[in-house]
């Protein structure tokens, strides 16, 4: 294969001097675009102070550019590190965490619900109960006291 190019200087003058090169080996890789992002979990129930992640996989596996960035809809509830997806539960409430492909073609989201880790209240019968957070399915762990 023979490749020739012309040099143009800052004033726009063209030079046809010996600027020719031979290329002996050229290979092309097809660009494989992402079809979807799949998150390990579609929702999470956690307590304030929890930290961790929700792994994302880009499909097809041989996608050319798998770079992802992360965002949170409510940083007072849950923050997410933009490049790693590391999440910290900051306060009670609900947030949507989204993984975006950097090329803008795909995204996937999940809901994270955060409960305060300890809550003291009275139940409908007037008994004192201590809510010790939530389990993985979002159910409160309650310890009841008799006054």
């Amino acid at each position: 294969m023979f490749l020739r190019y012309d040099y143009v200087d800052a004033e726009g003058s063209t030079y046809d001097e010996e600027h020719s090169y031979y290329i002996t080996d050229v290979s092309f890789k097809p660009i494989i675009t992402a079809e979807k992002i799949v998150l390990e979990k579609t929702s999470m129930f956690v307590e304030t102070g929890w930290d961790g992640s929700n792994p994302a996989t880009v499909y097809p596996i041989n996608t050319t550019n798998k770079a992802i960035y992360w965002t949170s809809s409510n940083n007072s509830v849950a923050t997410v590190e933009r490049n790693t997806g590391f999440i910290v539960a900051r306060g009670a409430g609900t947030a949507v965490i989204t993984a975006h492909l950097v090329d803008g073609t795909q995204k996937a989201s999940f809901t994270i619900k955060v409960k305060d880790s300890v809550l003291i209240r009275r139940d409908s019968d007037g008994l004192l109960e201590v809510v010790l957070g939530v389990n993985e399915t979002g159910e409160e762990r309650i310890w009841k006291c008799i006054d």
Side-chain angles (χ1 to χ4, degrees):
M1 175 188 277
F2 179 74
L3 176 67
R4 181 184 173 104
Y5 72 95
D6 295 327
Y7 173 77
V8 179
D9 67 15
E11 287 81 37
S13 300
T14 303
Y15 297 90
D16 285 327
E17 297 176 17
E18 290 298 315
H19 295 287
S20 300
Y21 296 89
Y22 287 97
I23 298 174
T24 57
D25 184 22
V26 176
S27 62
F28 297 95
K29 285 179 97 175
I31 295 175
I32 299 170
T33 58
E35 295 173 8
K36 63 182 174 179
I37 300 173
V38 175
L39 299 170
E40 189 173 286
K41 297 177 182 176
T42 57
S43 63
M44 298 174 81
F45 299 93
V46 299
E47 299 172 10
T48 54
W50 174 89
D51 61 20
S53 62
N54 186 10
T57 304
V58 178
Y59 289 98
I61 294 299
N62 61 342
T63 296
T64 303
N65 185 357
K66 296 181 185 181
I68 292 175
Y69 71 93
W70 298 82
T71 59
S72 171
S73 68
N74 190 340
N75 285 322
S76 65
V77 172
T79 58
V80 61
E81 205 288 322
R82 181 176 173 84
N83 297 319
T84 65
F86 187 76
I87 304 161
V88 177
R90 300 284 181 196
T94 302
V96 176
I97 305 293
T98 304
H100 308 259
L101 277 180
V102 294
D103 68 6
T105 60
Q106 301 293 325
K107 66 183 177 180
S109 300
F110 69 97
T111 302
I112 184 167
K113 293 183 180 181
V114 180
K115 286 236 180 190
D116 285 327
S117 54
V118 176
L119 173 67
I120 300 173
R121 66 183 181 205
R122 297 235 176 235
D123 70 6
S124 59
D125 297 323
L127 295 175
L128 188 64
E129 58 184 20
V130 178
V131 181
L132 302 171
V134 295
N135 63 21
E136 291 181 351
T137 62
E139 297 170 317
E140 293 178 331
R141 296 180 305 179
I142 299 174
W143 180 72
K144 292 199 181 225
C145 304
I146 300 176
D147 297 322

